[in-house]
Amino acid sequence: MRLVRAGRIVADQYVRVLDDEPIPDGVPVIVPAARFLADAEEILRREAPTGVLWPNNRRIAELAPHLDRLALVALEFPSFKDGRAYSQARVLREQFGFHGEMRATGNVLRDQFLFLMRAGFDAFEVVKDADAAVFAEAVARYSVFYQPAGDRRIPALRARLSLGTPALCERV
Amino acid sequence: MYLYDDLDRTLVTERAAEFRDQVARRLSGELTEDEFKPLRLMNGIYLQLHAYMLRIALPYGSLSSDQMRTLAHVARRYDRNYGHFTTRQNIQFNWIKLAELPDAMDDLARAGLHGMQTSGNCVRNITTDQWAGVAPDEIEDPRVWAEILRQHLTLHPEFSFLPRKFKIAVTAAAHDRAAIRVHDIGLRLHRNGAGEVGFEVVVGGGLGRTPFIGKTIKPFLPKRDVLSYVEAVLRTYNQFGRRDNIYKARIKILVHDLGAEAFAKEVDAEWQPIKDGPLALDPAVVAAVAGHFRYPSYEALSDNPPELAKARASDRRFATWFANSVTNHKAPGYAIVTLSLKPEGGPPGDATAEQMDAIADLADRYSFGEIRVGHEQNLVLPHVAQRDLLALWKALDALGLATPNVGLVSDIIACPGLDYCSLANTRSIPVAQELTRRFRDLDLAQSLGRLHINISGCINACGHHHVGHIGLLGVEKNGEEFFQVTIGGQADENAMLGTLIGPAVPYAQVADVVEDIVEAYLELRTRPDEIFLDTVKRVGIEPFRERVYATR
């Protein structure tokens, strides 16, 4: 596994803490959702940044009251075909205004990078080294986007208006 | 029709390049078949019984003559010289080699064609009335809305890995030719009491293993809200739809389990925060999309010109075809012409490369270069001047594309069945072929009137058997092919599921059973214009059951 953040392979500063382990002091941690919710105040009082691993069968709205004190939310892709976390990510970014790190974890492969980025993810726990190595190339594959999403890209429906008269092809 | 601009073309080209890279990684072993599968599916590539199948998207069933020529080229160069038009208004090729797929995709991309989202658990090709834009009974052109939705939902970052496939249909006509009530989302443009045009939103319809007629969750949705509301439905489904069992993963199960009212509440909760955001449709955006549609410059003509009247009076075969395959157009002096892809003995929906090229030429000569695909697996030339009908008919007749059986007993909808499909229990195509032979007598077919037979080779219901006036569903019993028979289904604005008439019948008897049902109908109907469906409604299934099972 390689962590990609801001387009580069980086070292992971965060420690994953399981349900029954003690939470270490002074280090950034990622704790499971249930444990975090059971003891949020205590965990957030620590000196170091806190992240939460949120499962995709739990309503993301439950996390809303804590978001301004969380440094990271990790969302899960148990399989590449399970797309629930894309919705969670967009709601976190676009409706709850979460500005911290949003990390994709699980079965994260090259062909999802662009979708993930557009949904608002900015950190990726990439399964295959070869995929992590071509991250920049994979997210630059498309230059046209049809819909507004969690990134700032201008969708085609809007772009056409600013382009003026579209260059139509009379015979497609 | 919709004309691609640079943005649309760029996206399709970039998609083809990405796909070439994915195939290369599969061929080199970098991707396992498991990892490659969802990627190929999102480009319309299935692995069937004998080979890869490539399904090309024809958005809302509309294509230009040049695109049709490209399809002919793909059939010739990469396949076995034919293609199969589908009930989703698409086309599929059944014999493509994996290593050649990237080249085929490039050739298609040059014509603005692609296989994006024609399979996989994403939003599939959006369908609409095959007569959109020319039907006299529509309140506006639904293709503009299908196109806005197509763009919004193409490579959508949030909805490309849904629990299951997702199908949307739009209609704007009084008579629903798009079967919106058996779709995941059905949108019906209509006018409310205040005279404004908006959408009725129907969700949770569908066929397959557990058929449901969709429920209306929004009787009137303003046009500006259509993207945000569809997004809210998809977001609700993406989060809460079942993923543990593929047979319970469609939105219809979620709607059924929660109840339509509770489901509508969930959607509303997702909708409120986004309805006034970037998805609210600015009329300028709608106008920009509408501006990409080119409408023919019709001549000022009158209905029923002397050439047509003369031809109808003097040529009985032409008159029969005219009565069957030609429909009123909204422009005076023009007509909508349906090309039957259901010749006697032919597989429903197939066309050869030569036929495709010839249809493209005829479209250029007689239909402003435009062709449509209908969900009944026939083609349509949507803008034919009535004075040209005789010449067009002669050309179509020579090509085997003028069988006057549109909407009749031999205009059968069938899935590919066991001849191609790895999911099928039974063959479908040979049953359809046999039925077209049994009902080859066109006078009989005419006298039977409107009668739709739909055949599915398995419970996945690709042949929409539940909504056939007569529906045949292939099942397997002890390794033998059998068919369950339903009657009384319909897919239009009065959508209903058919009723099972009794135990499944063996493959070898299914054509006899259909003949028995048809004979029973002829005896039961009170007037020649009481169609089969109305007779079933009046007398119920019992007389049909008796006829079929009395001697079996």
Side-chain angles (χ1 to χ4, degrees):
Chain A
M1 195 274 283
R2 288 271 187 273
L3 179 66
V4 174
R5 197 186 310 118
R8 288 200 309 275
I9 297 175
V10 295
D12 191 356
Q13 308 296 328
Y14 282 83
V15 174
R16 283 275 180 109
V17 180
L18 299 178
D19 274 321
D20 48 359
E21 284 172 1
I23 298 178
D25 265 337
V27 239
V29 290
I30 300 175
V31 294
R35 178 162 186 193
F36 172 77
L37 291 176
D39 210 4
E41 281 311 311
E42 179 86 2
I43 295 171
L44 288 167
R45 262 202 299 277
R46 296 163 59 258
E47 290 290 307
T50 304
V52 172
L53 174 64
W54 198 258
N56 47 30
N57 58 2
R58 193 158 187 159
R59 287 188 188 241
I60 197 74
E62 281 186 75
L63 197 53
H66 309 289
L67 285 174
D68 53 346
R69 297 163 72 193
L70 283 173
L72 175 152
V73 175
L75 298 174
E76 293 185 293
F77 292 85
S79 115
F80 159 23
K81 291 180 276 187
D82 187 333
R84 285 176 283 188
Y86 292 102
S87 287
Q88 293 177 318
R90 291 197 63 197
V91 170
L92 275 180
R93 283 281 193 241
E94 296 166 54
Q95 288 177 35
F96 301 147
F98 178 62
H99 293 303
E101 177 175 326
M102 194 150 64
R103 189 184 280 200
T105 178
N107 192 213
V108 177
L109 305 174
R110 177 191 310 194
D111 303 282
Q112 294 145 287
F113 292 161
L114 185 57
F115 286 144
L116 291 167
M117 234 169 126
R118 298 212 63 216
F121 288 95
D122 55 2
F124 312 84
E125 293 182 0
V126 182
V127 178
K128 295 182 187 178
D129 292 357
D131 286 355
V134 295
F135 185 89
E137 186 194 316
V139 298
R141 215 167 242 305
Y142 288 91
S143 62
V144 175
F145 302 93
Y146 274 130
Q147 58 292 105
D151 54 3
R152 297 272 162 75
R153 291 181 167 92
I154 309 283
L157 285 172
R158 282 266 147 217
R160 290 200 176 93
L161 294 183
S162 46
L163 289 175
T165 316
L168 293 189
C169 173
E170 280 303 323
R171 312 248 313 185
V172 285
Chain B
M1 59 181 299
Y2 182 81
L3 299 178
Y4 267 32
D5 61 18
D6 286 340
L7 295 174
D8 300 300
R9 274 196 299 275
T10 302
L11 182 94
V12 168
T13 309
E14 289 170 346
R15 180 59 159 192
E18 180 186 45
F19 180 67
R20 181 174 289 279
D21 172 60
Q22 289 165 342
V23 171
R25 282 190 281 143
R26 173 68 194 114
L27 291 172
S28 75
E30 197 186 323
L31 285 176
T32 65
E33 181 52 31
D34 243 24
E35 288 167 344
F36 180 60
K37 186 178 170 189
L39 303 175
R40 68 168 161 77
L41 287 178
M42 289 188 68
N43 286 290
I45 294 143
Y46 286 80
L47 186 55
Q48 293 198 317
L49 275 181
H50 312 291
Y52 283 103
M53 178 268 274
L54 169 61
R55 186 181 290 154
I56 307 301
L58 303 173
Y60 35 90
S62 178
L63 72 162
S64 68
S65 50
D66 284 351
Q67 288 175 325
M68 184 63 102
R69 287 188 188 95
T70 298
L71 296 176
H73 156 76
V74 169
R76 209 174 271 127
R77 167 81 180 73
Y78 303 103
D79 205 283
R80 297 188 178 173
N81 213 47
Y82 67 94
H84 175 73
F85 289 95
T86 76
T87 56
R88 206 129 198 93
Q89 300 179 301
N90 288 324
I91 185 169
Q92 55 199 44
F93 295 104
N94 288 302
W95 304 98
I96 305 233
K97 295 183 190 71
L98 182 59
E100 290 185 351
L101 271 164
D103 289 341
M105 287 293 198
D106 281 348
D107 293 351
L108 288 161
R110 275 191 284 277
L113 294 167
H114 58 80
M116 268 185 273
Q117 296 179 210
T118 58
S119 54
N121 295 335
C122 52
V123 180
R124 301 293 188 85
N125 192 27
I126 291 161
T127 51
T128 185
D129 193 336
Q130 68 265 33
W131 297 347
V134 292
D137 67 338
E138 72 184 14
I139 58 170
E140 62 177 78
D141 189 343
R143 290 175 304 168
V144 172
W145 298 98
E147 176 60 24
I148 288 171
L149 286 159
R150 178 193 78 80
Q151 294 191 20
H152 180 70
L153 295 166
T154 293
L155 302 187
H156 194 294
E158 183 179 349
F159 305 131
S160 291
F161 301 96
L162 295 167
R164 197 79 179 84
K165 60 188 167 185
F166 201 91
K167 300 180 178 180
I168 301 178
V170 190
T171 182
H175 181 63
D176 174 11
R177 287 173 289 263
I180 67 155
R181 286 177 205 282
V182 288
H183 276 76
D184 296 285
I185 296 180
L187 296 169
R188 183 177 72 90
L189 277 155
H190 67 111
R191 213 177 287 280
N192 68 5
E196 300 152 323
V197 175
F199 295 94
E200 176 189 357
V201 183
V202 180
V203 297
L207 302 173
R209 191 170 297 248
T210 323
F212 284 110
I213 302 297
K215 321 274 186 310
T216 299
I217 58 166
K218 200 84 179 158
F220 187 84
L221 179 75
K223 287 173 168 180
R224 79 181 276 278
D225 294 328
V226 70
L227 286 185
S228 60
Y229 197 79
V230 166
E231 184 120 322
V233 172
L234 281 162
R235 183 166 288 164
T236 304
Y237 171 55
N238 189 39
Q239 294 179 90
F240 306 117
R242 285 182 64 171
R243 290 175 186 265
D244 58 331
N245 178 342
I246 68 159
Y247 300 118
K248 298 189 184 234
R250 295 288 289 270
I251 196 173
K252 62 193 174 187
I253 304 293
L254 180 65
V255 173
H256 179 74
D257 287 352
L258 287 176
E261 212 171 301
F263 178 80
K265 265 193 197 144
E266 290 280 356
V267 170
D268 200 63
E270 294 290 357
W271 184 44
Q272 289 307 329
I274 60 172
K275 81 191 269 272
D276 300 317
L279 294 183
L281 272 169
D282 183 338
V285 166
V286 179
V289 172
H292 280 56
F293 281 85
R294 282 290 173 275
Y295 292 88
S297 320
Y298 297 118
E299 288 175 62
L301 299 174
S302 321
D303 279 330
N304 206 16
E307 301 93 315
L308 174 61
K310 191 172 155 237
R312 287 171 65 188
S314 59
D315 189 325
R316 184 170 174 268
R317 286 183 65 234
F318 171 75
T320 303
W321 174 81
F322 175 85
N324 173 262
S325 305
V326 178
T327 311
N328 291 339
H329 192 285
K330 71 181 180 194
Y334 284 85
I336 304 169
V337 174
T338 301
L339 279 53
S340 170
L341 295 182
K342 319 288 176 68
E344 183 188 327
D350 277 12
T352 63
E354 290 67 35
Q355 285 177 322
M356 290 185 227
D357 274 335
I359 291 165
D361 292 347
L362 292 171
D364 279 339
R365 194 175 316 156
Y366 297 117
S367 182
F368 296 88
E370 188 178 345
I371 301 147
R372 306 279 179 85
V373 185
H375 78 86
E376 300 88 352
Q377 303 180 278
N378 289 321
L379 299 178
V380 172
L381 294 180
H383 322 280
V384 180
Q386 292 171 14
R387 61 161 184 243
D388 295 334
L389 283 168
L390 180 64
L392 173 63
W393 170 72
K394 284 182 179 163
L396 292 174
D397 192 36
L399 291 164
L401 294 167
T403 313
N405 62 350
V406 175
L408 303 180
V409 63
S410 52
D411 185 3
I412 296 165
I413 294 178
C415 73
L418 202 51
D419 292 294
Y420 297 99
C421 178
S422 48
L423 303 172
N425 293 320
T426 63
R427 291 163 285 170
S428 304
I429 292 170
V431 176
Q433 289 171 309
E434 176 60 18
L435 288 170
T436 63
R437 286 188 282 264
R438 300 279 179 111
F439 294 101
R440 58 149 59 93
D441 177 350
L442 287 165
D443 291 331
L444 170 66
Q446 293 290 347
S447 77
L448 292 172
R450 183 159 283 275
L451 208 180
H452 299 167
I453 299 179
N454 292 53
I455 310 173
S456 304
C458 81
I459 192 69
N460 291 303
C462 297
H464 304 170
H465 62 275
H466 300 105
V467 290
H469 299 179
I470 299 176
L472 303 175
L473 163 63
V475 293
E476 185 243 295
K477 278 188 180 180
N478 308 320
E480 305 273 325
E481 295 167 89
F482 277 73
F483 282 89
Q484 289 182 356
V485 182
T486 53
I487 61 173
Q490 62 189 109
D492 58 10
E493 61 279 8
N494 303 311
M496 264 179 67
L497 304 173
T499 308
L500 191 64
I501 62 164
V505 299
Y507 179 88
Q509 288 180 31
V510 68
D512 296 342
V513 166
V514 171
E515 280 193 314
D516 287 351
I517 291 171
V518 169
E519 277 169 22
Y521 154 66
L522 280 175
E523 291 163 22
L524 287 161
R525 72 179 178 188
T526 49
R527 317 174 307 273
D529 63 346
E530 181 182 76
I531 65 166
F532 175 79
L533 203 52
D534 291 335
T535 304
V536 175
K537 277 187 190 145
R538 183 169 55 77
V539 303
I541 65 162
E542 207 46 50
F544 294 96
R545 181 211 303 272
E546 271 168 31
R547 170 66 68 104
V548 168
Y549 296 99
T551 57
R552 286 192 175 83

